[in-house]
Amino acid sequence: MDFLPIFLDIREQPCLVVGGGEAAARKTALLLRAGARVTVQAPGLSAAFDAGLAGGRIAHRAADFRDEDLAGFALAIAAADDNAVNRAVAAAARARRIPVNVVDQPALCTFIMPSIVDRSPVIVAVSTGGASPVLARLIRARLETLIPAGYGRLARLVASFRDKVKQRFTHSSRRRQFWEEILQGRIADLV
């Protein structure tokens, strides 16, 4: 296994995206969906950023990247059109022990962005470790057809009853059996 699959809580965490093109806009959108506070640093931004800027969801630094620009950030994404800039971001982030993703360059990454099936709070992440992002997207597309949109509602319903079920069934094997029956039965079908 080349990468440890983890889910990182970045809600309200300051994240830096370096680059102003389409790839940077896609990564910014993912960070925003996860609740991050995003700063995009690039001399100029593509039109893909217009909605986020207009809504005040994105801060923009209109400047070239310098190593010290990473101060105070919890995570960095290098998505510049210039490979030298991306390498500089990766090196500076590694030196500061800040997790860094460099778009389409897994060798420079300390983490990679998977292809995501979002049925929040149910999240499925698919990765090929950067070997074939297209294959990861194809697998994600298949999974999306297999995982009903209602699974998010079902997960929220289960969460609302977890404490009550834990009080009722003190042994973990009985709890597991209860949840398996619920999640494979009529209640799950109704949700």
Side-chain angles (χ1 to χ4, degrees), residues 126 128 132-140:
V126 178
T128 61
S132 178
V134 172
L135 178 59
R137 284 194 297 273
L138 291 172
I139 293 169
R140 181 200 68 213

Side-chain angles (χ1 to χ4, degrees), residues 10 14-15 17-19 34 36 39 43 48 51 55 58 63-64 78 83 98 101 108 112 135 152 154-155 173 187-188:
I10 59 168
C15 298
V17 175
V18 178
T39 299
I58 302 168
D64 291 325
N83 193 38
I98 296 171
N101 173 270
L108 298 177
I112 55 175
L135 178 59
L154 182 58
S173 61
I187 293 174

